[in-house]
Amino acid sequence: MIIPSIINRRSIRKFQNKPVPEKLVNEVIKAAQFAPTSRDNRLVEFVVVNNPETKKKIYEAAIPPQEFLLKAPVLVIPVTDPSKTNQPVQDISLATANIFLQAAELGLGTVWKNLKPPAAGEIKKILKIPEEYLIINIIPLGYPAETPDPHTDDYFQPDKIHPETW
Amino acid sequence: MIIPSIINRRSIRKFQNKPVPEKLVNEVIKAAQFAPTSRDNRLVEFVVVNNPETKKKIYEAAIPPQEFLLKAPVLVIPVTDPSKTNQPVQDISLATANIFLQAAELGLGTVWKNLKPPAAGEIKKILKIPEEYLIINIIPLGYPAETPDPHTDDYFQPDKIHPETW
């Protein structure tokens, strides 16, 4: 049986105006810290934004700006030090996957908001993240105000499984 | 409560000499296909190797060669087309995270075996994967022959959570 949160996780871009208890935010980040990292470096850190003014600045710096950056009660930004891991993008991605699934388990919605330069640099300045660190995404976190259907077997693509060779 | 498979997933490099039913391999890959992809491209494909001779060739091409590449009953290699997604590494990483967790749910072990050039290119040739496609890792899949401890709260690093700014 597929893990229920893998089935139920869908990208959520609309959030209820309802705070997320800090305990749940920490549980989601704990799950992220249980994800593997390159050579077990465990260097991914997390900025957690609740402040509406900071969210507004992030919204204005993002390309494109998206309303969920303002309206999600919490924004989580994973950060790592690319001078200390060989796979910074992979480390952040695996941590993010656990955030997605643990959030779904707790009834919370998420989406991968992608960041590239120059927006990533601007947002590092807003969050006082040192320039040499890497951010690649923002994860809004909140109670969903939309209910996309869970995944079903219709979403399974067995033709993308290649036995033995391509 | 943290999702049990997030708690129980640990990197496994020793495997029992016991086949993995194809049904379970497909379930693990189905879970990977339920992971998000950039702009919902859904382009990640999976080569599934059971053949011992192919595993031997992969083992010999890998840097460093690692015994689990020979001894794991199954090797899963995710593949994507970097000309059709803006985030190929992220797409493969998120699919891999779901593989890790769904495998743990089924009592199967996994690890991220990293691939870089020139080994990645050699392994694409062995698997007849077109040169323009991207592979970044191999995921061995099998019943564990080692039992590392599950994650506990000792593994949680609350000092890596930064409220509002770095």
Side-chain angles (χ1 to χ4, degrees):
Chain A
M1 203 192 76
I2 307 279
I3 296 169
S5 63
I6 289 181
I7 291 177
N8 294 327
R9 182 219 57 80
R10 299 302 308 265
S11 295
I12 297 294
R13 297 178 183 82
K14 294 183 181 170
F15 296 95
Q16 296 176 44
N17 181 16
K18 178 182 168 184
V20 179
E22 189 183 356
K23 188 174 169 235
L24 297 194
V25 177
N26 287 348
E27 197 159 294
V28 162
I29 292 175
K30 189 192 287 186
Q33 292 182 342
F34 291 180
T37 50
S38 178
R39 297 176 185 269
D40 200 24
N41 67 66
R42 301 175 61 195
L43 288 173
V44 184
E45 308 206 21
F46 303 87
V47 181
V48 176
V49 176
N50 289 272
N51 185 317
E53 285 173 32
T54 310
K55 284 188 241 173
K56 184 152 187 290
K57 287 180 194 162
I58 289 173
Y59 168 82
E60 287 166 355
I63 301 169
Q66 284 176 282
E67 212 179 6
F68 60 73
L69 296 170
L70 291 172
K71 296 207 168 164
V74 180
L75 303 178
V76 178
I77 299 92
V79 184
T80 197
D81 181 346
S83 74
K84 292 184 182 155
T85 168
N86 294 323
Q87 276 84 51
V89 171
Q90 291 88 326
D91 288 349
I92 291 177
S93 297
L94 294 175
T96 300
N98 277 19
I99 288 177
F100 286 163
L101 296 175
Q102 184 61 34
E105 176 78 7
L106 299 171
L108 296 166
T110 54
V111 70
W112 180 297
K113 168 63 180 172
N114 206 58
L115 296 179
K116 288 187 293 191
E122 283 303 308
I123 291 169
K124 280 195 283 188
K125 279 184 208 161
I126 292 165
L127 299 175
K128 306 190 199 316
I129 298 167
E131 198 181 340
E132 64 272 23
Y133 282 30
L134 179 71
I135 64 173
I136 62 171
N137 60 355
I138 299 177
I139 306 149
L141 193 66
Y143 292 95
E146 58 180 337
T147 52
D149 291 335
H151 291 99
T152 66
D153 277 1
D154 291 346
Y155 214 85
F156 180 42
Q157 304 175 89
D159 57 307
K160 292 192 170 164
I161 302 176
H162 303 268
E164 304 304 340
T165 58
W166 189 259
Chain B
M1 201 193 77
I2 307 277
I3 296 169
S5 62
I6 289 181
I7 292 178
N8 294 327
R9 182 219 57 81
R10 299 302 308 266
S11 295
I12 298 295
R13 297 178 183 82
K14 293 182 181 169
F15 296 94
Q16 296 176 44
N17 182 16
K18 178 181 167 185
V20 179
E22 189 183 356
K23 189 176 167 230
L24 297 194
V25 177
N26 287 348
E27 197 159 294
V28 161
I29 292 175
K30 190 193 286 187
Q33 292 182 342
F34 291 180
T37 49
S38 176
R39 298 176 184 268
D40 200 23
N41 67 66
R42 301 177 61 197
L43 287 173
V44 184
E45 309 205 21
F46 303 86
V47 181
V48 176
V49 175
N50 290 273
N51 185 317
E53 285 174 30
T54 310
K55 285 189 239 172
K56 185 151 188 286
K57 287 180 193 164
I58 289 172
Y59 168 82
E60 287 167 354
I63 302 168
Q66 283 176 282
E67 211 179 8
F68 59 73
L69 296 171
L70 290 172
K71 295 207 169 164
V74 179
L75 303 178
V76 178
I77 298 92
V79 184
T80 197
D81 180 346
S83 73
K84 292 186 182 154
T85 168
N86 294 322
Q87 276 83 51
V89 172
Q90 292 88 327
D91 289 349
I92 290 176
S93 298
L94 294 175
T96 300
N98 278 19
I99 287 176
F100 286 164
L101 297 174
Q102 183 62 34
E105 175 77 7
L106 298 172
L108 296 166
T110 55
V111 70
W112 179 297
K113 168 62 179 173
N114 206 57
L115 296 179
K116 288 187 294 192
E122 282 304 307
I123 291 168
K124 281 195 282 188
K125 278 184 209 162
I126 293 164
L127 299 175
K128 306 190 198 317
I129 297 167
E131 199 181 339
E132 63 272 23
Y133 283 30
L134 180 72
I135 65 174
I136 61 173
N137 61 354
I138 298 177
I139 307 150
L141 192 66
Y143 292 95
E146 56 180 338
T147 52
D149 291 336
H151 291 99
T152 66
D153 276 2
D154 292 345
Y155 214 86
F156 179 43
Q157 304 175 89
D159 57 306
K160 292 194 169 164
I161 301 175
H162 304 267
E164 303 305 339
T165 57
W166 188 261

